[in-house]
Amino acid sequence: MSERKTVIHNIAEVPWHELPGHHGGALSKLLVHPDTAQSRLIDHRISSYEPKAYVARHKHKVQEQIYHVLDGEGLFEFGDEKRVVRRHDVIFIPPGIEHAFHNTGLANLIFLVITTPVNDE
């Protein structure tokens, strides 16, 4: 394994990706990730979902996630529940909880995603 180092980059330097399971303009920038910063325990992203964009229902085996909504609003589904979330809402998702996120608002839904560990194995 190569030597790890401190990484500093500007958000504009990181490309947008529409990752598997994400649809309709659900884009993410992998800010701190094994591919961009050689992180081993943390996956930190910013996501921007256009109106009608979404991530399909899924669950994680061992990963914990935090969604921190910075702007916009959307519908967060978890288990059998649905909640409208908006700016300044913070969502904690433990492993094994099926969830989905839809931009049901009128503007882009922008949120941070923090996941640990980086792999769901």
Coordinates of all heavy atoms in Angstrom, one line a residue, residues 26-113:
A26 N -29.1 12.6 -9.9 CA -28.7 12.4 -8.5 C -27.1 12.3 -8.6 O -26.6 11.3 -8.8 CB -29.3 11.2 -7.9
L27 N -26.5 13.5 -8.4 CA -25.0 13.5 -8.6 C -24.3 13.7 -7.2 O -24.8 14.3 -6.3 CB -24.7 14.7 -9.5 CG -25.4 14.7 -10.8 CD1 -25.0 16.0 -11.6 CD2 -25.0 13.5 -11.6
S28 N -23.1 13.1 -7.2 CA -22.2 13.2 -6.0 C -20.8 13.5 -6.4 O -20.3 13.1 -7.4 CB -22.3 11.9 -5.2 OG -23.6 11.7 -4.7
K29 N -20.1 14.3 -5.5 CA -18.7 14.5 -5.6 C -18.1 13.8 -4.4 O -18.4 14.0 -3.2 CB -18.4 16.0 -5.4 CG -18.7 16.8 -6.6 CD -18.4 18.3 -6.4 CE -18.6 19.1 -7.6 NZ -17.4 19.5 -8.3
L30 N -17.1 12.9 -4.7 CA -16.4 12.1 -3.7 C -15.3 12.9 -3.1 O -14.2 12.8 -3.6 CB -15.9 10.8 -4.3 CG -17.0 10.0 -5.1 CD1 -16.3 8.7 -5.7 CD2 -18.2 9.6 -4.2
L31 N -15.6 13.6 -2.0 CA -14.6 14.6 -1.5 C -13.5 13.9 -0.7 O -12.3 14.2 -0.9 CB -15.3 15.6 -0.6 CG -16.4 16.4 -1.4 CD1 -17.1 17.3 -0.4 CD2 -15.8 17.3 -2.5
V32 N -13.9 13.0 0.2 CA -12.9 12.2 1.0 C -13.4 10.8 0.8 O -14.4 10.4 1.2 CB -12.9 12.6 2.5 CG1 -11.9 11.6 3.2 CG2 -12.5 14.0 2.6
H33 N -12.6 10.0 0.0 CA -12.9 8.7 -0.4 C -11.6 7.9 -0.7 O -10.6 8.6 -1.0 CB -13.8 8.9 -1.7 CG -14.4 7.6 -2.2 ND1 -13.7 6.9 -3.2 CD2 -15.5 7.0 -2.0 CE1 -14.5 5.8 -3.5 NE2 -15.6 5.8 -2.8
P34 N -11.7 6.6 -0.7 CA -10.4 5.9 -1.1 C -9.8 6.3 -2.5 O -8.6 6.4 -2.6 CB -10.8 4.4 -1.1 CG -12.0 4.4 -0.1 CD -12.7 5.7 -0.3
D35 N -10.7 6.7 -3.4 CA -10.2 7.1 -4.7 C -9.7 8.5 -4.8 O -8.9 8.8 -5.7 CB -11.4 7.0 -5.8 CG -11.8 5.6 -6.0 OD1 -11.1 4.6 -5.6 OD2 -13.0 5.4 -6.5
T36 N -10.1 9.4 -3.9 CA -9.7 10.8 -3.9 C -8.7 11.2 -2.8 O -8.0 12.2 -2.9 CB -10.9 11.7 -3.9 OG1 -11.6 11.5 -2.7 CG2 -11.8 11.5 -5.1
A37 N -8.7 10.4 -1.7 CA -7.9 10.8 -0.5 C -7.3 9.6 0.2 O -6.7 9.8 1.3 CB -8.7 11.6 0.4
Q38 N -7.4 8.5 -0.4 CA -6.8 7.2 0.2 C -7.4 7.0 1.6 O -6.7 6.4 2.5 CB -5.3 7.3 0.3 CG -4.7 7.3 -1.1 CD -3.1 7.4 -1.0 OE1 -2.6 8.0 0.0 NE2 -2.5 6.8 -1.9
S39 N -8.6 7.5 1.9 CA -9.3 7.2 3.2 C -9.6 5.7 3.4 O -9.9 5.1 2.4 CB -10.5 8.1 3.4 OG -11.5 7.7 2.4
R40 N -9.5 5.3 4.6 CA -9.8 3.9 4.9 C -11.1 3.7 5.6 O -11.7 2.7 5.5 CB -8.7 3.3 5.7 CG -7.4 3.2 5.0 CD -6.3 2.6 5.8 NE -5.0 2.7 5.1 CZ -3.9 2.6 5.8 NH1 -3.8 2.4 7.1 NH2 -2.7 2.6 5.1
L41 N -11.5 4.7 6.4 CA -12.7 4.6 7.3 C -13.8 5.5 6.9 O -14.9 5.3 7.3 CB -12.2 4.8 8.7 CG -11.2 3.9 9.3 CD1 -10.8 4.3 10.7 CD2 -11.7 2.4 9.2
I42 N -13.5 6.6 6.2 CA -14.5 7.6 5.9 C -14.7 7.8 4.4 O -13.8 7.9 3.7 CB -14.1 9.0 6.6 CG1 -13.9 8.8 8.1 CG2 -15.1 10.1 6.2 CD1 -13.3 10.0 8.7
D43 N -16.0 7.9 4.1 CA -16.5 8.3 2.8 C -17.3 9.6 3.0 O -18.4 9.5 3.6 CB -17.3 7.2 2.1 CG -17.9 7.5 0.8 OD1 -17.9 8.7 0.4 OD2 -18.3 6.6 0.1
H44 N -16.8 10.7 2.5 CA -17.5 12.0 2.7 C -17.8 12.6 1.3 O -16.9 12.8 0.5 CB -16.6 13.0 3.5 CG -17.1 14.3 3.7 ND1 -18.2 14.7 4.4 CD2 -16.7 15.5 3.1 CE1 -18.4 16.0 4.4 NE2 -17.5 16.5 3.5
R45 N -19.1 12.9 1.1 CA -19.5 13.4 -0.2 C -20.4 14.6 -0.1 O -21.0 14.7 0.9 CB -20.3 12.3 -1.0 CG -19.8 11.0 -1.0 CD -20.8 9.9 -1.5 NE -20.0 8.7 -1.5 CZ -20.4 7.6 -2.2 NH1 -21.5 7.7 -2.9 NH2 -19.7 6.5 -2.2
I46 N -20.5 15.3 -1.2 CA -21.6 16.3 -1.3 C -22.4 15.8 -2.5 O -21.9 15.4 -3.5 CB -21.1 17.7 -1.5 CG1 -22.3 18.7 -1.4 CG2 -20.3 17.9 -2.7 CD1 -21.9 20.1 -1.2
S47 N -23.7 15.8 -2.3 CA -24.7 15.4 -3.3 C -25.6 16.5 -3.7 O -26.0 17.3 -2.9 CB -25.5 14.2 -2.9 OG -24.6 13.1 -2.6
S48 N -25.9 16.5 -5.0 CA -26.9 17.5 -5.5 C -27.9 16.7 -6.4 O -27.5 16.1 -7.4 CB -26.2 18.6 -6.3 OG -27.1 19.5 -6.9
Y49 N -29.1 16.7 -6.0 CA -30.2 16.0 -6.7 C -31.1 17.0 -7.4 O -31.7 17.9 -6.7 CB -31.0 15.1 -5.8 CG -30.4 13.9 -5.2 CD1 -29.0 13.7 -5.3 CD2 -31.2 12.9 -4.7 CE1 -28.5 12.5 -4.8 CE2 -30.6 11.7 -4.2 CZ -29.3 11.5 -4.2 OH -28.7 10.4 -3.7
E50 N -31.2 16.9 -8.7 CA -32.2 17.8 -9.4 C -33.6 17.4 -9.0 O -33.8 16.3 -8.5 CB -32.0 17.6 -10.9 CG -30.7 18.0 -11.4 CD -30.5 17.7 -12.9 OE1 -31.4 17.3 -13.5 OE2 -29.3 17.9 -13.3
P51 N -34.6 18.2 -9.2 CA -36.0 17.8 -9.0 C -36.3 16.5 -9.7 O -35.9 16.3 -10.8 CB -36.8 19.0 -9.5 CG -35.9 20.2 -9.3 CD -34.5 19.7 -9.6
K52 N -36.9 15.6 -9.0 CA -37.3 14.3 -9.4 C -36.2 13.3 -9.4 O -36.4 12.1 -9.6 CB -37.9 14.3 -10.9 CG -39.2 15.1 -11.0 CD -39.9 15.0 -12.3 CE -39.4 14.3 -13.4 NZ -40.2 14.3 -14.6
A53 N -35.0 13.7 -9.1 CA -33.8 12.7 -8.9 C -34.0 12.0 -7.6 O -34.6 12.4 -6.7 CB -32.5 13.5 -9.0
Y54 N -33.4 10.8 -7.6 CA -33.5 10.0 -6.4 C -32.4 8.9 -6.3 O -31.8 8.6 -7.3 CB -34.8 9.3 -6.3 CG -35.1 8.3 -7.4 CD1 -34.9 6.9 -7.1 CD2 -35.5 8.6 -8.7 CE1 -35.1 5.9 -8.1 CE2 -35.7 7.7 -9.7 CZ -35.5 6.4 -9.4 OH -35.7 5.4 -10.4
V55 N -32.2 8.3 -5.1 CA -31.4 7.1 -4.9 C -32.5 6.0 -4.6 O -33.3 6.2 -3.7 CB -30.3 7.2 -3.8 CG1 -30.9 7.6 -2.5 CG2 -29.5 6.0 -3.8
A56 N -32.4 4.9 -5.3 CA -33.3 3.8 -5.1 C -33.2 3.2 -3.7 O -32.2 3.3 -3.0 CB -33.1 2.7 -6.1
R57 N -34.3 2.6 -3.2 CA -34.3 1.9 -1.9 C -33.1 0.9 -1.8 O -32.9 0.1 -2.7 CB -35.6 1.2 -1.7 CG -36.6 2.0 -0.9 CD -37.9 1.2 -0.7 NE -38.0 0.7 0.7 CZ -38.3 1.5 1.7 NH1 -38.5 2.8 1.6 NH2 -38.4 0.9 2.9
H58 N -32.4 0.9 -0.7 CA -31.3 0.0 -0.5 C -31.0 0.0 1.0 O -31.6 0.8 1.8 CB -30.1 0.5 -1.3 CG -29.5 1.8 -0.8 ND1 -30.2 3.0 -1.1 CD2 -28.4 2.1 -0.1 CE1 -29.5 4.0 -0.6 NE2 -28.4 3.5 0.1
K59 N -30.1 -0.9 1.4 CA -29.7 -0.9 2.8 C -28.2 -1.3 2.8 O -27.7 -1.9 1.8 CB -30.5 -1.8 3.7 CG -30.5 -3.3 3.3 CD -31.4 -4.1 4.2 CE -31.5 -5.5 3.7 NZ -32.4 -6.3 4.6
H60 N -27.6 -1.0 3.9 CA -26.2 -1.4 4.1 C -26.0 -2.4 5.2 O -26.7 -2.4 6.1 CB -25.4 -0.1 4.5 CG -25.6 1.0 3.5 ND1 -24.9 1.1 2.3 CD2 -26.4 2.1 3.6 CE1 -25.3 2.2 1.7 NE2 -26.2 2.8 2.4
K61 N -25.1 -3.3 4.9 CA -24.8 -4.4 5.9 C -24.2 -3.9 7.2 O -24.6 -4.2 8.3 CB -23.9 -5.5 5.3 CG -24.5 -6.2 4.1 CD -23.5 -7.1 3.5 CE -23.9 -7.6 2.1 NZ -22.9 -8.3 1.4
V62 N -23.1 -3.1 7.0 CA -22.3 -2.7 8.2 C -22.1 -1.2 8.3 O -21.8 -0.7 9.3 CB -21.0 -3.4 8.3 CG1 -21.1 -4.9 8.4 CG2 -20.1 -3.0 7.1
Q63 N -22.4 -0.5 7.2 CA -22.1 0.9 7.1 C -23.1 1.7 7.9 O -24.3 1.5 7.8 CB -22.1 1.4 5.7 CG -20.9 1.0 4.9 CD -21.0 1.3 3.4 OE1 -22.0 1.2 2.8 NE2 -19.8 1.8 2.9
E64 N -22.6 2.8 8.5 CA -23.5 3.8 9.1 C -23.4 5.0 8.2 O -22.3 5.3 7.7 CB -23.0 4.2 10.5 CG -23.1 3.1 11.5 CD -22.7 3.5 12.9 OE1 -21.9 4.4 13.0 OE2 -23.1 2.8 13.8
Q65 N -24.5 5.8 8.1 CA -24.5 7.0 7.3 C -25.1 8.2 8.0 O -26.0 8.0 8.8 CB -25.2 6.8 6.0 CG -24.5 5.9 5.0 CD -25.2 5.9 3.6 OE1 -26.4 5.7 3.5 NE2 -24.4 6.1 2.6
I66 N -24.6 9.3 7.6 CA -25.2 10.6 8.0 C -25.6 11.4 6.8 O -24.7 11.5 5.9 CB -24.3 11.4 8.9 CG1 -24.0 10.7 10.2 CG2 -24.9 12.8 9.2 CD1 -22.9 11.3 11.0
Y67 N -26.8 11.9 6.6 CA -27.2 12.8 5.6 C -27.4 14.1 6.3 O -28.2 14.2 7.2 CB -28.5 12.4 4.9 CG -28.4 11.2 4.0 CD1 -27.3 10.4 3.8 CD2 -29.5 10.9 3.2 CE1 -27.3 9.3 3.0 CE2 -29.6 9.7 2.4 CZ -28.4 9.0 2.3 OH -28.4 7.9 1.4
H68 N -26.7 15.2 5.8 CA -26.9 16.5 6.4 C -27.4 17.4 5.3 O -26.6 17.7 4.4 CB -25.6 17.0 7.0 CG -25.6 18.3 7.6 ND1 -24.6 18.8 8.4 CD2 -26.5 19.4 7.5 CE1 -24.9 20.0 8.8 NE2 -26.0 20.4 8.2
V69 N -28.6 17.8 5.3 CA -29.2 18.6 4.3 C -28.8 20.1 4.4 O -29.0 20.7 5.4 CB -30.8 18.5 4.3 CG1 -31.4 19.4 3.2 CG2 -31.2 17.1 4.2
L70 N -28.2 20.6 3.3 CA -27.7 21.9 3.3 C -28.7 22.9 2.6 O -28.8 24.1 3.0 CB -26.4 22.0 2.5 CG -25.2 21.2 3.1 CD1 -24.0 21.3 2.1 CD2 -24.9 21.6 4.5
D71 N -29.4 22.4 1.6 CA -30.4 23.2 0.9 C -31.4 22.4 0.2 O -31.1 21.2 -0.2 CB -29.7 24.1 -0.1 CG -30.4 25.4 -0.4 OD1 -31.4 25.7 0.3 OD2 -30.0 26.1 -1.3
G72 N -32.6 22.9 0.0 CA -33.6 22.2 -0.7 C -34.5 21.4 0.2 O -34.3 21.4 1.4
E73 N -35.3 20.5 -0.4 CA -36.1 19.6 0.4 C -36.4 18.4 -0.4 O -36.4 18.4 -1.6 CB -37.4 20.3 0.9 CG -38.3 20.7 -0.2 CD -39.6 21.5 0.4 OE1 -39.7 21.7 1.6 OE2 -40.4 21.9 -0.5
G74 N -36.7 17.3 0.3 CA -37.0 16.1 -0.3 C -37.8 15.1 0.6 O -38.0 15.4 1.7
L75 N -38.0 13.9 0.1 CA -38.7 12.9 0.8 C -37.8 11.8 1.1 O -37.2 11.2 0.2 CB -39.9 12.4 0.0 CG -40.9 11.4 0.7 CD1 -41.6 12.2 1.8 CD2 -41.9 10.9 -0.2
F76 N -37.6 11.6 2.4 CA -36.7 10.5 2.9 C -37.5 9.3 3.4 O -38.4 9.5 4.2 CB -35.8 11.0 4.0 CG -34.8 10.0 4.5 CD1 -33.6 9.7 3.7 CD2 -35.0 9.2 5.6 CE1 -32.7 8.7 4.1 CE2 -34.1 8.3 6.0 CZ -32.9 8.0 5.2
E77 N -37.3 8.2 2.8 CA -38.0 6.9 3.2 C -37.1 6.1 4.0 O -35.9 5.9 3.6 CB -38.4 6.2 1.9 CG -39.4 6.9 1.0 CD -39.7 6.1 -0.2 OE1 -39.6 4.9 -0.2 OE2 -40.1 6.7 -1.2
F78 N -37.6 5.5 5.1 CA -36.8 4.6 5.9 C -37.8 3.6 6.5 O -38.8 4.0 7.1 CB -35.9 5.3 6.9 CG -36.7 6.1 7.9 CD1 -36.9 5.7 9.2 CD2 -37.2 7.4 7.4 CE1 -37.6 6.5 10.0 CE2 -37.9 8.2 8.3 CZ -38.1 7.8 9.6
G79 N -37.5 2.3 6.3 CA -38.4 1.3 6.8 C -39.8 1.5 6.2 O -39.9 1.6 5.0
D80 N -40.8 1.6 7.0 CA -42.2 1.9 6.5 C -42.6 3.4 6.6 O -43.7 3.7 6.4 CB -43.2 1.1 7.3 CG -43.0 -0.4 7.1 OD1 -42.5 -0.8 6.0 OD2 -43.3 -1.2 8.0
E81 N -41.6 4.2 6.9 CA -41.9 5.7 7.1 C -41.4 6.5 6.0 O -40.5 6.2 5.3 CB -41.3 6.1 8.4 CG -41.8 5.5 9.7 CD -41.2 6.1 10.9 OE1 -41.2 7.4 11.0 OE2 -40.7 5.4 11.8
K82 N -42.1 7.7 5.8 CA -41.6 8.7 4.9 C -41.7 10.1 5.6 O -42.7 10.4 6.3 CB -42.6 8.8 3.7 CG -42.6 7.5 2.8 CD -43.5 7.6 1.7 CE -43.5 6.4 0.8 NZ -44.4 6.4 -0.3
R83 N -40.6 10.8 5.4 CA -40.5 12.1 6.1 C -40.0 13.2 5.1 O -39.1 12.9 4.4 CB -39.6 12.1 7.3 CG -40.0 11.4 8.5 CD -40.6 12.2 9.6 NE -39.9 13.4 9.9 CZ -39.1 13.6 10.9 NH1 -38.7 12.6 11.7 NH2 -38.6 14.8 11.2
V84 N -40.6 14.3 5.1 CA -40.1 15.5 4.4 C -38.9 16.0 5.2 O -39.1 16.2 6.4 CB -41.2 16.6 4.1 CG1 -40.6 17.8 3.5 CG2 -42.3 16.0 3.2
V85 N -37.8 16.2 4.5 CA -36.6 16.8 5.2 C -36.2 18.0 4.4 O -36.4 18.1 3.2 CB -35.5 15.7 5.3 CG1 -35.9 14.6 6.2 CG2 -35.0 15.2 4.0
R86 N -35.6 18.9 5.1 CA -35.2 20.2 4.4 C -33.9 20.7 5.1 O -33.4 20.1 6.0 CB -36.3 21.2 4.5 CG -36.8 21.5 5.9 CD -38.0 22.4 5.9 NE -39.1 22.0 5.0 CZ -40.2 21.3 5.4 NH1 -40.3 20.9 6.6 NH2 -41.1 21.0 4.5
R87 N -33.5 21.9 4.7 CA -32.3 22.5 5.2 C -32.1 22.4 6.7 O -33.1 22.6 7.4 CB -32.4 24.0 4.8 CG -31.1 24.7 5.1 CD -31.2 26.1 4.5 NE -29.9 26.8 4.7 CZ -29.7 28.1 4.6 NH1 -30.7 28.9 4.4 NH2 -28.5 28.6 4.8
H88 N -30.9 22.0 7.1 CA -30.5 21.8 8.5 C -31.0 20.6 9.1 O -30.7 20.3 10.3 CB -30.9 23.1 9.3 CG -30.2 24.3 8.9 ND1 -28.9 24.5 8.7 CD2 -30.8 25.5 8.5 CE1 -28.6 25.7 8.2 NE2 -29.7 26.3 8.1
D89 N -31.7 19.7 8.4 CA -32.1 18.4 9.0 C -30.9 17.5 8.8 O -30.1 17.5 7.8 CB -33.3 17.8 8.2 CG -34.6 18.4 8.6 OD1 -34.7 19.0 9.7 OD2 -35.6 18.3 7.9
V90 N -30.6 16.7 9.8 CA -29.6 15.7 9.9 C -30.2 14.3 10.1 O -31.0 14.1 11.0 CB -28.5 16.0 11.0 CG1 -27.4 15.0 11.0 CG2 -27.9 17.4 10.7
I91 N -29.8 13.4 9.3 CA -30.4 12.0 9.3 C -29.3 11.0 9.6 O -28.2 11.0 8.9 CB -31.0 11.6 7.9 CG1 -32.1 12.7 7.5 CG2 -31.6 10.2 8.0 CD1 -32.3 12.7 6.0
F92 N -29.5 10.2 10.6 CA -28.5 9.1 10.9 C -29.2 7.8 10.5 O -30.3 7.5 10.9 CB -28.2 9.0 12.4 CG -27.4 7.8 12.8 CD1 -26.1 7.6 12.3 CD2 -28.0 6.8 13.5 CE1 -25.4 6.5 12.7 CE2 -27.3 5.6 13.8 CZ -26.0 5.5 13.4
I93 N -28.5 7.0 9.7 CA -29.0 5.7 9.2 C -28.1 4.6 9.7 O -26.9 4.5 9.2 CB -29.0 5.7 7.6 CG1 -29.7 7.0 7.1 CG2 -29.7 4.5 7.1 CD1 -29.4 7.3 5.7
P94 N -28.6 3.8 10.6 CA -27.8 2.6 11.0 C -27.8 1.5 10.0 O -28.6 1.5 9.1 CB -28.5 2.2 12.3 CG -29.8 2.7 12.3 CD -29.8 3.9 11.3
P95 N -26.9 0.6 10.1 CA -26.9 -0.6 9.2 C -28.2 -1.3 9.2 O -28.8 -1.4 10.3 CB -25.7 -1.4 9.7 CG -25.0 -0.6 10.7 CD -25.8 0.5 11.1
G96 N -28.5 -1.9 8.1 CA -29.7 -2.8 8.0 C -31.0 -2.1 7.8 O -32.1 -2.7 7.7
I97 N -31.1 -0.7 7.8 CA -32.3 0.0 7.6 C -32.4 0.3 6.1 O -31.6 1.1 5.5 CB -32.3 1.3 8.4 CG1 -32.1 1.0 9.9 CG2 -33.6 2.1 8.1 CD1 -33.3 0.2 10.5
E98 N -33.5 -0.2 5.5 CA -33.8 0.1 4.1 C -34.2 1.6 4.0 O -35.0 2.1 4.8 CB -34.9 -0.8 3.6 CG -34.9 -0.9 2.1 CD -35.8 -2.0 1.6 OE1 -37.0 -2.0 2.0 OE2 -35.3 -2.9 0.8
H99 N -33.6 2.3 3.0 CA -33.9 3.7 2.8 C -33.8 4.2 1.4 O -33.1 3.5 0.6 CB -33.0 4.6 3.7 CG -31.5 4.4 3.4 ND1 -30.8 3.3 3.9 CD2 -30.6 5.1 2.8 CE1 -29.5 3.4 3.5 NE2 -29.4 4.5 2.8
A100 N -34.4 5.3 1.1 CA -34.3 5.9 -0.2 C -34.5 7.4 0.0 O -35.0 7.9 1.0 CB -35.5 5.4 -1.1
F101 N -34.0 8.2 -1.0 CA -34.1 9.7 -0.9 C -34.5 10.2 -2.2 O -33.9 9.9 -3.3 CB -32.7 10.2 -0.5 CG -32.8 11.6 0.3 CD1 -33.9 12.1 0.7 CD2 -31.6 12.2 0.5 CE1 -33.9 13.3 1.4 CE2 -31.5 13.4 1.2 CZ -32.7 14.0 1.6
H102 N -35.6 11.0 -2.3 CA -36.1 11.6 -3.5 C -36.2 13.1 -3.4 O -36.6 13.6 -2.3 CB -37.6 11.2 -3.7 CG -37.7 9.7 -3.8 ND1 -37.9 9.0 -5.0 CD2 -37.8 8.7 -2.8 CE1 -38.0 7.7 -4.7 NE2 -38.0 7.5 -3.4
N103 N -35.8 13.8 -4.4 CA -36.0 15.3 -4.4 C -37.4 15.5 -4.9 O -37.7 15.4 -6.1 CB -34.9 16.0 -5.3 CG -35.1 17.5 -5.3 OD1 -36.1 18.0 -4.8 ND2 -34.2 18.2 -5.9
T104 N -38.3 15.8 -4.0 CA -39.7 16.2 -4.3 C -39.9 17.7 -4.3 O -41.0 18.1 -4.5 CB -40.6 15.5 -3.3 OG1 -40.2 15.8 -2.0 CG2 -40.5 14.0 -3.5
G105 N -38.8 18.4 -4.2 CA -39.0 19.9 -4.1 C -38.9 20.5 -5.4 O -38.9 19.9 -6.5
L106 N -38.8 21.9 -5.4 CA -38.8 22.7 -6.7 C -37.3 23.1 -7.1 O -37.2 23.6 -8.2 CB -39.6 23.9 -6.5 CG -41.1 23.7 -6.1 CD1 -41.8 25.0 -5.8 CD2 -41.8 22.9 -7.2
A107 N -36.4 22.9 -6.2 CA -35.0 23.3 -6.5 C -34.1 22.1 -6.2 O -34.5 21.1 -5.7 CB -34.6 24.5 -5.7
N108 N -32.8 22.3 -6.5 CA -31.9 21.2 -6.2 C -31.8 20.9 -4.7 O -31.9 21.8 -3.8 CB -30.5 21.5 -6.7 CG -30.3 21.3 -8.1 OD1 -31.3 21.1 -8.9 ND2 -29.1 21.3 -8.6
L109 N -31.7 19.6 -4.3 CA -31.6 19.1 -3.0 C -30.1 18.9 -2.8 O -29.5 18.1 -3.5 CB -32.4 17.8 -2.8 CG -32.2 17.1 -1.5 CD1 -32.6 17.9 -0.3 CD2 -32.9 15.8 -1.6
I110 N -29.5 19.6 -1.9 CA -28.0 19.5 -1.7 C -27.7 19.1 -0.3 O -28.3 19.6 0.7 CB -27.3 20.9 -1.9 CG1 -27.6 21.3 -3.4 CG2 -25.8 20.8 -1.7 CD1 -27.2 22.7 -3.7
F111 N -26.9 18.0 -0.1 CA -26.7 17.4 1.2 C -25.3 16.8 1.2 O -24.8 16.3 0.2 CB -27.8 16.5 1.6 CG -28.0 15.3 0.6 CD1 -27.6 14.0 0.9 CD2 -28.7 15.5 -0.6 CE1 -27.8 13.0 0.1 CE2 -28.9 14.4 -1.4 CZ -28.5 13.2 -1.1
L112 N -24.8 16.7 2.4 CA -23.6 15.9 2.7 C -23.9 14.5 3.0 O -24.9 14.3 3.7 CB -22.8 16.6 3.9 CG -22.3 18.0 3.7 CD1 -21.7 18.5 5.0 CD2 -21.4 18.2 2.5
V113 N -23.1 13.6 2.6 CA -23.2 12.2 3.0 C -21.9 11.7 3.6 O -20.8 11.9 3.0 CB -23.5 11.3 1.8 CG1 -23.7 9.8 2.2 CG2 -24.7 11.8 1.0

